[in-house]
Amino acid sequence: MNAPEIKTALPGPNAKAIIERDAKFVSPSYTRDYPFVIARGEGAVVEDVDGNRFIDCAAGIAVNSTGVSHPDVVRAIVDQAQKFVHMSGTDFYYEPQVRLAEELASIAPIGGDVRTFFGNSGTEAIEAAVKLSRYYTKRQGIIAFLGSFHGRTMGSLALTSSKAVQRRGFGPMMPGVYHAPYPDPYRFKGGADESAAASLSFITDQILTHLISPDEVAAIVVEPIQGEGGYVVPPRGFLQALRELTATHGMMLVVDEVQSGMGRTGKMFASDHFALKADIVTIAKGIASGLPLGVTCSRADVMSWPPGAHASTFGGNPVSCAAANATIKLLKEHLVANAATVGEHLMWGIRTLQQKYPVIGDVRGMGLMIGIEFVRDRQTKERAVDERNALVQAMFRRGVLVLGAGKNAVRLAPPLVLTKDQADAVLRVMDEALAEITALKPRSSR
Ligand SMILES: Cc1ncc(COP(=O)(O)O)c(C=O)c1O
């Protein structure tokens, strides 16, 4: 499928009709930034119900790791669905779930033997991680980071602190959660290493000194790259420092790889870039190419809870497990490598655009997890929120789907099948869209 190819005004008539129906009957809590209504897709291209084609740099929020309906994944889904759709791994056994647990034991960024708990989503993976940390350590406290996103159910929501609207009206939150600043090398006044030092010092000199004793903290929960919060990559030593801190005090280190995992960063997990071994790792989104699945992998000795302690009726659905097994095979064969090479190409192209457009303050990320932060002024770093929002719209009108992240960043999280040619097309569209939103001819950077 060729893209971009825009044939109608957006939204076209068919999209408009569906959106009107949606507006009456579907929860208004969803954030739809632009009126895209999918009809079908192939690889990294999606077609709307009016025949307009887009390059998809959103991938259903970093989920369609193998692209839209990859034939191998569809075959695995159909094969499994024809045998049985559900049997509940809580009460019975089935081979696809065991196979997936074996596979995860070999790839999860955890040292030693690994066991896996199966849920349906990222938030459930976090709930399981919090419960397991509390159960194993017999402690209650949880330390998370400002700007983080870990889900929206009542446990994970207490950790989530990305946008106030996500918490507003839902209190009181689960008690026992403390937040530290996430190190932001671009925004911190003083440099990357200092941002990490400040964050660590907040944990040790503020939280663990004034608020809760280290021996009451069950876990530190961290995204190895902050996703929703703006695709912020922490400085190199930060995650290892958390590893040491948690080991010293007998806390669990829970690494949330829900968005950054499954090949997105050009390695199987973002943790792999930092040689990080966690006690517990949460994975969802890209693991099953779009079927609902969230898993909590843990050191085998930590996952010591007894039968009945935690389970989910649908968790680890056989069809989702079959999709995940097919997905992991494709990732290992070539898609993790493709994410690394095409990601590097895309990142280079965006950095070139950064030379041209002062509104691009920062370009960061790994593999095909790329964040672009927009500023009004490179010295003051005033957040260019309207410009970011305008860019998202301008790219949509030209046939590229992107999502915002944080207050003033755009995230690129395309399927890992994105080709170099498609990356070049994304760059061309971004160039045009930037020229439009900055309302000026491209000029040299200051
Ligand atoms: C890092 C991270 N953790 C957890 C979640 C929650 O996942 P879900 O929406 O599947 O519940 C998300 C979702 O964006 C995420 O990015």
Side-chain angles (χ1 to χ4, degrees):
M1 280 167 94
N2 282 335
E5 207 176 281
I6 303 301
K7 301 173 181 163
T8 71
L10 295 175
N14 297 330
K16 224 181 212 163
I18 291 169
I19 290 165
E20 274 163 21
R21 285 162 56 202
D22 177 289
K24 251 191 181 158
F25 294 106
V26 175
S27 167
S29 61
Y30 302 137
T31 43
R32 276 77 170 263
D33 283 340
Y34 43 81
F36 173 70
V37 183
I38 188 170
R40 64 191 185 122
E42 190 182 292
V45 173
V46 285
E47 187 177 286
D48 78 2
V49 286
D50 297 288
N52 299 300
R53 287 181 181 173
F54 302 78
I55 299 179
D56 180 10
C57 286
I61 326 185
V63 167
N64 291 328
S65 48
T66 56
V68 182
S69 301
H70 190 291
D72 292 6
V73 176
V74 171
R75 200 171 309 114
I77 291 171
V78 170
D79 283 354
Q80 181 54 47
Q82 282 174 339
K83 289 177 197 151
F84 60 98
V85 171
H86 174 76
M87 187 34 75
S88 191
T90 289
D91 288 337
F92 301 105
Y93 304 91
Y94 39 87
E95 199 275 339
Q97 187 180 73
V98 180
R99 180 144 41 108
L100 180 54
E102 287 170 344
E103 191 62 60
L104 289 166
S106 77
I107 62 172
I110 294 173
D113 292 343
V114 173
R115 282 181 179 270
T116 293
F117 173 85
F118 289 89
N120 305 283
S121 62
T123 197
E124 286 172 79
I126 289 289
E127 298 289 341
V130 167
K131 286 179 74 175
L132 182 59
S133 298
R134 284 185 163 181
Y135 184 87
Y136 176 75
T137 62
K138 316 254 180 298
R139 305 172 180 181
Q140 293 188 5
I142 305 286
I143 296 176
F145 291 89
L146 293 169
S148 66
F149 190 90
H150 297 291
R152 297 172 183 271
T153 47
M154 285 311 290
S156 67
L157 184 61
L159 279 59
T160 289
S161 61
S162 175
K163 298 190 182 88
V165 67
Q166 294 156 351
R167 296 163 64 101
R168 182 170 177 268
F170 300 125
M173 296 290 142
M174 176 181 80
V177 179
Y178 304 85
H179 286 96
Y182 193 86
D184 182 340
Y186 176 65
R187 292 240 149 232
F188 191 80
K189 291 185 182 67
D193 291 343
E194 289 75 8
S195 72
S199 174
L200 291 163
S201 141
F202 191 90
I203 295 174
T204 54
D205 302 336
Q206 303 294 335
I207 295 177
L208 298 179
T209 302
H210 297 297
L211 294 170
I212 183 168
S213 168
D215 64 3
E216 289 188 312
V217 175
I220 296 184
V221 182
V222 65
E223 292 167 273
I225 296 178
Q226 205 168 59
E228 245 270 319
Y231 277 24
V232 179
V233 183
R236 273 218 84 74
F238 176 67
L239 295 165
Q240 280 300 344
L242 290 183
R243 176 64 288 181
E244 279 162 34
L245 181 70
T246 47
T248 302
H249 295 293
M251 306 164 185
M252 297 291 96
L253 178 63
V254 178
V255 175
D256 184 348
E257 292 265 13
V258 164
Q259 188 149 176
S260 57
M262 306 317 293
R264 174 140 304 282
T265 63
K267 290 190 188 284
M268 192 59 91
F269 293 97
S271 296
D272 297 335
H273 290 276
F274 302 100
L276 182 68
K277 300 287 184 199
D279 300 302
I280 299 172
V281 174
T282 53
I283 307 167
K285 290 197 187 284
I287 189 173
S289 293
L291 284 206
L293 184 65
V295 302
T296 308
C297 299
S298 158
R299 268 171 41 201
D301 62 309
V302 168
M303 198 169 270
S304 57
W305 44 19
H310 194 46
S312 155
T313 299
F314 290 114
N317 170 275
V319 183
S320 297
C321 288
N325 286 321
T327 299
I328 293 173
K329 187 163 180 287
L330 289 164
L331 293 180
K332 280 179 157 177
E333 280 169 3
H334 62 281
L335 293 185
V336 179
N338 189 65
T341 50
V342 178
E344 201 175 310
H345 181 72
L346 192 53
M347 180 85 88
W348 167 83
I350 299 166
R351 288 202 200 286
T352 307
L353 291 175
Q354 188 182 18
Q355 310 292 312
K356 216 163 149 185
Y357 297 100
V359 73
I360 299 182
D362 192 34
V363 182
R364 59 207 177 212
M366 289 175 163
L368 285 172
M369 183 169 191
I370 298 176
I372 310 167
E373 182 160 343
F374 293 89
V375 291
R376 295 237 162 98
D377 180 300
R378 283 191 181 167
Q379 260 68 52
T380 64
K381 298 184 182 173
E382 184 192 345
R383 295 178 191 273
V385 180
D386 293 345
E387 291 84 343
R388 186 279 305 271
N389 294 344
L391 184 89
V392 170
Q393 301 296 329
M395 290 190 71
F396 171 63
R397 284 196 304 275
R398 289 173 171 80
V400 174
L401 306 185
V402 296
L403 296 174
K407 287 198 193 91
N408 56 315
V410 158
R411 59 180 130 174
L412 300 186
L416 310 185
V417 294
L418 190 81
T419 64
K420 267 192 181 169
D421 285 350
Q422 288 170 330
D424 286 336
V426 169
L427 291 166
R428 269 196 306 279
V429 164
M430 192 179 286
D431 194 356
E432 285 173 28
L434 281 162
E436 179 192 310
I437 66 128
T438 52
L440 45 81
K441 292 274 171 270
R443 61 184 161 108
S444 57
S445 65
R446 4 181 147 169

